[in-house]
Amino acid sequence: MTLQEKIGQMTQAERVAIDGDRDQITTLGLGSVLSGGGSVPADNTPKGWADMVDAYQSKALATRLKIPLLYGIDSVHGHNNLIGATIFPHNLAMGATRDPALVREEQQITAIETKATGPQWVFAPCVCVVRDLRWGRTYESYGEDPGLVIEMETGIEGFQGRHKRDLSSPRHVLATAKHYAGDGDTVFGSSTTGTFTIDQGVTVTDRRTFGRIDLAPYVTAVRKYGVGSIMPSFSSVDWKEDGVGNPVRMSASKELLTDVLKRKIGFDGFLISDWAAIQQIPGDYATQVRTSVNAGMDMFMEPHTAPQFTRTLLAEVQAGRVETARVDDAVRRILKAKFELGLFENPYTDRRYAGTIGSPEHRAVARRAVAESQVLLKNSGQALPLAADEEIYVAGVNADDIGNQAGGWTVTWQGSSGDIIPGTTILDGIRQNSSNVTYSADASAPMAGHDAGIVVIGERPYAEGLGDVGNGHTLNLPDADKANIDRVCGAIRTCVVLDVAGRPQIVTDRLPAMDAFVMSWLPGSEGAGVADVLFGKRPFTGRLPVTWPRSEDQEPINIGDRTYKPLFPYAHGLRTGARTH
């Protein structure tokens, strides 16, 4: 390979940047193309996706060496960019299930639905350990305890299969453990990215604590599951051992990328930078490129600056500031993944499973995941389960908004409210179980004569640092939700409150008015799974994967803290039996 061809393999561009001139794939010899959140073909169907990816692939195969393209996508809770895909609960909900086999099955389905449309590589799972609920990516974590996160890493096996040979099948994709490391453990107020408060901030810690909490899931991802790629975090680390105040960006840390991850832990896959992440490293662009390559980064997600990246790295190598051996190491790692995926033999999309996308069988697994993730936090007087013959009053916008219940990373990066994907809302599920249902979003309809009231509260969609508390968000309930609780719980004999949100919210002052309180998380496309436990078709078995605070200013609070007085402790979750009639 020529030096230019090697550098091309290390370069990843966003599809929008090359779609108007797809010959860039050939002229730059790009190793990879990605779809960011919401970056979709004009025909957002399985065929539209596969046709697009194959068209890009044909341009890669027009290069001298015919090295196939690796296409990456954020399939973080299903093939979530594709309308009609099965959308699973977000990771925090899956942590509540305590069911590693279910997580494996979920990611297996996600792999099948994704690969049938072209992409062979997913930027998932997030194996971050969330230590502060004010983080806008809280729902992307499986929980606050590294032990729980490690348990849920069966998802890597769901993506990749049990053996390396499985990667080449149409049922598996290359997985990415992210975001290495400490992204869920940054200090509130430490972020310097725009108006973010905690996302992409600084993890202030000592190496021993970092190893125990933040690094531990990556040891498992590498040594037990052989994860094929790892994405270093936007965040920085500031070691206490040498005095606080000199943080190093993860993309620039040779200690953590090369010495720890590749040499000590033994990672033999490749590192992919996050979205233009190297551009947050101090210095000019040449310094940023040189620093990150020399630190151990292998492939560079430079969404809109791929040509500039290739020119810059070429100049750095020619000037002797980046050794050819480092480039060779990166390219070997990337080509190894392409060979293991069988792309040289079968570069184009295998569409045989396209008909299973969003199938009843796949949706049934998602519905079971929703049911298993529900956490019953309070149940006075056996308010739950409900009986189908009761007159039921339902209030709250989130009861009948599939966009809100799916959350961020759904069709678009930030997600959106409204009827954005096919599936069932929570209200749909309730109506499947009872014909005696009144729905009033603002609790303005008359309540007399109803046996039970269900108030659905929660958040609206957001993703990443745009969801940080202090960046337009709070853990406190909106006034409309408080008003709905007050109206319904004050007027109806049995009052059940469901929280549809990406993280615990502050309910301390309203909890006494509730007979039952359920954390429903972000359930995805199969809201009927919530009703399955409300009416006793399935038992409540979920347990909190994070500690539930009494107030926003109690954050960060985590199991093991010296002073630990939460509203609900980590692993709390009441159980009910399923109805037998």
Side-chain angles (χ1 to χ4, degrees):
M1 296 177 70
T2 65
L3 179 57
Q4 289 91 336
E5 286 168 335
K6 293 173 185 176
I7 289 171
Q9 287 302 302
M10 296 172 66
T11 310
Q12 183 186 63
E14 218 284 335
R15 57 163 291 278
V16 169
I18 52 101
D19 204 43
D21 179 13
R22 295 179 178 183
D23 287 335
Q24 290 178 82
I25 296 172
T26 311
T27 56
L28 295 174
L30 291 180
S32 180
V33 173
L34 84 145
S35 277
S39 181
V40 302
D43 177 21
N44 190 2
T45 64
K47 182 180 185 300
W49 273 93
D51 288 349
M52 177 188 71
V53 174
D54 285 353
Y56 295 147
Q57 189 66 277
S58 70
K59 295 297 184 180
L61 297 177
T63 57
R64 181 180 73 95
L65 297 177
K66 299 179 172 52
I67 299 174
L69 199 68
L70 192 53
Y71 201 98
I73 192 168
D74 287 283
S75 291
V76 298
H77 64 139
H79 187 3
N80 42 260
N81 272 359
L82 172 66
I83 294 174
T86 307
I87 304 300
F88 291 90
H90 271 294
N91 285 356
L92 200 60
M94 298 307 296
T97 69
R98 300 303 202 279
D99 190 342
L102 180 59
V103 172
R104 183 191 294 112
E105 189 174 7
E106 169 209 357
Q107 306 298 36
Q108 163 89 87
I109 289 170
T110 299
I112 290 169
E113 295 199 2
T114 300
K115 204 166 192 179
T117 68
Q120 322 93 343
W121 177 23
V122 297
F123 305 132
C126 186
V127 296
C128 49
V129 181
V130 59
R131 304 294 286 180
D132 192 323
L133 300 180
R134 293 172 292 186
W135 188 34
R137 305 193 80 149
T138 291
Y139 61 75
E140 293 187 54
S141 171
Y142 288 113
E144 71 185 41
D145 179 3
L148 175 59
V149 174
I150 288 168
E151 266 190 77
M152 299 298 120
E153 288 188 64
T154 47
I156 298 173
E157 193 172 88
F159 282 133
Q160 296 192 164
R162 292 182 184 272
H163 308 285
K164 287 290 185 186
R165 63 178 179 269
D166 295 335
L167 273 174
S168 62
S169 87
R171 300 175 61 84
H172 294 288
V173 293
L174 192 74
T176 307
K178 66 182 190 184
H179 304 89
Y180 180 86
D183 56 330
D185 199 13
T186 56
V187 174
F188 186 79
S190 67
S191 181
T192 56
T193 301
T195 54
F196 295 5
T197 56
I198 187 169
D199 188 34
Q200 303 186 19
V202 182
T203 304
V204 180
T205 186
D206 59 83
R207 286 172 175 83
R208 183 176 178 182
T209 305
F210 184 80
R212 180 173 57 85
I213 292 177
D214 305 303
L215 198 60
Y218 294 92
V219 177
T220 302
V222 171
R223 294 182 178 170
K224 183 173 182 178
Y225 295 111
V227 71
S229 69
I230 289 177
M231 183 182 290
S233 177
F234 278 113
S235 61
S236 306
V237 65
D238 194 348
W239 301 123
K240 290 181 178 179
E241 289 94 334
D242 59 4
V244 173
N246 56 341
V248 177
R249 290 278 178 188
M250 203 59 59
S251 297
S253 177
K254 187 173 186 291
E255 175 189 356
L256 289 170
L257 301 189
T258 297
D259 299 343
V260 173
L261 182 57
K262 291 182 175 179
R263 292 177 182 158
K264 185 177 178 182
I265 298 176
F267 176 58
D268 65 353
F270 69 94
L271 294 174
I272 171 69
S273 64
D274 209 332
W275 185 277
I278 67 164
Q279 297 178 33
Q280 295 186 3
I281 296 171
D284 61 15
Y285 191 65
T287 301
Q288 293 166 342
V289 170
R290 174 174 69 251
T291 300
S292 194
V293 174
N294 287 338
M297 195 74 74
D298 301 307
M299 185 184 282
F300 291 78
M301 189 188 293
E302 289 291 281
H304 301 286
T305 51
Q308 182 186 2
F309 172 79
T310 60
R311 290 193 304 270
T312 303
L313 181 52
L314 179 63
E316 290 299 299
V317 177
Q318 289 174 335
R321 290 185 287 267
V322 172
E323 292 185 3
T324 305
R326 172 75 270 275
V327 171
D328 289 346
D329 173 60
V331 176
R332 269 196 301 267
R333 291 167 178 269
I334 294 162
L335 293 181
K336 173 174 166 286
K338 292 184 177 185
F339 277 112
E340 289 173 346
L341 282 161
L343 292 179
F344 285 88
E345 295 82 7
N346 300 292
Y348 292 110
T349 304
D350 185 329
R351 310 182 188 205
R352 77 180 79 170
Y353 290 118
T356 70
I357 294 171
S359 67
E361 294 79 11
H362 288 182
R363 291 181 182 275
V365 175
R367 181 170 178 168
R368 177 160 57 91
V370 173
E372 285 194 32
S373 71
Q374 302 300 293
V375 181
L376 182 58
L377 297 166
K378 179 181 179 181
N379 194 26
S380 298
Q382 294 184 313
L384 292 176
L386 299 169
D389 58 358
E390 291 181 286
E391 293 280 346
I392 296 172
Y393 188 99
V394 181
V397 169
N398 279 10
D400 196 31
D401 193 309
I402 201 164
N404 286 3
Q405 77 182 35
W409 292 109
T410 308
V411 183
T412 59
W413 173 39
Q414 291 292 313
S416 59
S417 300
D419 190 20
I420 62 171
I421 54 172
T424 56
T425 65
I426 292 171
L427 180 63
D428 290 335
I430 292 170
R431 284 175 168 158
Q432 288 175 12
N433 286 272
S434 173
S435 57
N436 308 310
V437 178
T438 300
Y439 174 58
S440 177
D442 61 357
S444 61
M447 299 180 197
H450 291 89
D451 302 304
I454 300 174
V455 184
V456 187
I457 62 173
E459 297 181 309
R460 294 190 176 185
Y462 56 79
E464 298 192 42
L466 292 175
D468 285 354
V469 164
N471 190 22
H473 290 267
T474 173
L475 297 183
N476 296 306
L477 295 181
D479 289 342
D481 282 350
K482 291 179 181 178
N484 282 350
I485 293 171
D486 292 345
R487 290 186 191 120
V488 176
C489 293
I492 300 177
R493 183 184 66 208
T494 299
C495 183
V496 178
V497 177
L498 313 179
D499 195 3
V500 176
R503 53 195 165 191
Q505 296 184 283
I506 306 306
V507 297
T508 309
D509 60 342
R510 293 306 194 279
L511 189 62
M514 308 173 193
D515 296 299
F517 180 46
V518 178
M519 185 52 178
S520 293
W521 312 107
L522 296 173
S525 62
E526 308 311 307
V530 177
D532 287 342
V533 291
L534 293 180
F535 289 89
K537 288 183 174 179
R538 287 184 177 273
F540 276 98
T541 57
R543 293 187 288 142
L544 286 179
V546 288
T547 298
W548 198 295
R550 293 179 179 274
S551 61
E552 191 172 273
D553 61 11
Q554 198 176 31
E555 284 298 312
I557 179 171
N558 294 285
I559 186 71
D561 288 353
R562 191 168 298 171
T563 302
Y564 188 71
K565 295 179 180 178
L567 184 64
F568 298 111
Y570 174 84
H572 177 67
L574 305 175
R575 293 184 174 239
T576 60
R579 286 186 181 271
T580 56
H581 58 276

